[in-house]
Amino acid sequence: RSMVDSSAPQHKLEYRGYMKGHGGWVTCMQVGEETVGDTTREFLISGSRDKKIMIWDIVERKDTDEEKEWGIPRKILSGHSHFVDDLCLSQDSRYCLSASWDGTLRLWDVDKGVTSKRFVSHTKDVFTCAFSPDNRQIASGGRDKTVKIWNTVGECKFTV
């Protein structure tokens, strides 16, 4: 008897191309949406062990294209002094949170490519970060065995 649910949608994984730019292992990525004029388009944001965050324009190539390069780096965000381990986009994709082994979180303005706020309270590497559904609170977790809840101006409100 088969354990596969035949009524479930079937998905096919297909190689479409590559992106080249980071100087270290890519540790996290997320797809966001932005509106340019009357057009909504997707972009990719990635974090790496090279301590950088990259914002990519996604360029769809034809099957006959020999290069198969699917993304062009638009912006490189610098500021962390150690590996970027996680990132998270706000609901509107205008802001990005990043978690780093430098013990900090950063809130980035995606359009400007600058840090809006640094979050400092973890005593060791920060492994993960998330926005609340309404973007009004931020959660982080790290090697110091704590989960922290922050407001968006960088104040740690709770430590668990």
Side-chain angles (χ1 to χ4, degrees), residues 37-53:
D38 295 337
T39 307
T40 300
R41 66 181 184 191
E42 291 183 332
F43 66 92
L44 182 78
I45 189 162
S46 60
S48 170
R49 285 192 163 203
D50 65 6
K51 309 173 197 170
K52 307 272 191 273
I53 296 167

Side-chain angles (χ1 to χ4, degrees), residues 5-122:
D5 180 1
S6 61
S7 65
Q10 300 299 308
H11 298 282
K12 182 176 139 187
L13 188 61
E14 177 183 336
Y15 175 75
R16 302 296 292 269
Y18 66 90
M19 298 170 129
K20 182 170 54 175
H22 278 294
W25 296 348
V26 174
T27 55
C28 49
M29 65 181 77
Q30 193 167 2
V31 175
E33 275 190 352
E34 61 191 346
T35 303
V36 179
D38 295 337
T39 307
T40 300
R41 66 181 184 191
E42 291 183 332
F43 66 92
L44 182 78
I45 189 162
S46 60
S48 170
R49 285 192 163 203
D50 65 6
K51 309 173 197 170
K52 307 272 191 273
I53 296 167
M54 295 182 80
I55 301 170
W56 304 81
D57 285 327
I58 299 170
V59 180
E60 193 162 334
R61 303 291 186 176
K62 295 183 181 355
D63 289 337
T64 56
D65 184 0
E66 294 294 320
E67 278 296 306
K68 296 285 189 190
E69 191 166 0
W70 265 61
I72 298 180
R74 182 191 334 154
K75 282 187 185 139
I76 299 174
L77 312 182
S78 299
H80 284 296
S81 60
H82 212 309
F83 304 152
V84 175
D85 210 23
D86 194 19
L87 55 77
C88 179
L89 285 168
S90 61
Q91 297 298 321
D92 60 7
S93 298
R94 291 178 50 217
Y95 293 94
C96 177
L97 276 173
S98 58
S100 172
W101 284 23
D102 65 10
T104 69
L105 294 165
R106 284 180 181 254
L107 180 65
W108 301 87
D109 181 311
V110 171
D111 187 45
K112 294 177 184 170
V114 297
T115 299
S116 297
K117 186 60 68 180
R118 284 182 70 232
F119 298 73
V120 182
S121 179
H122 282 281

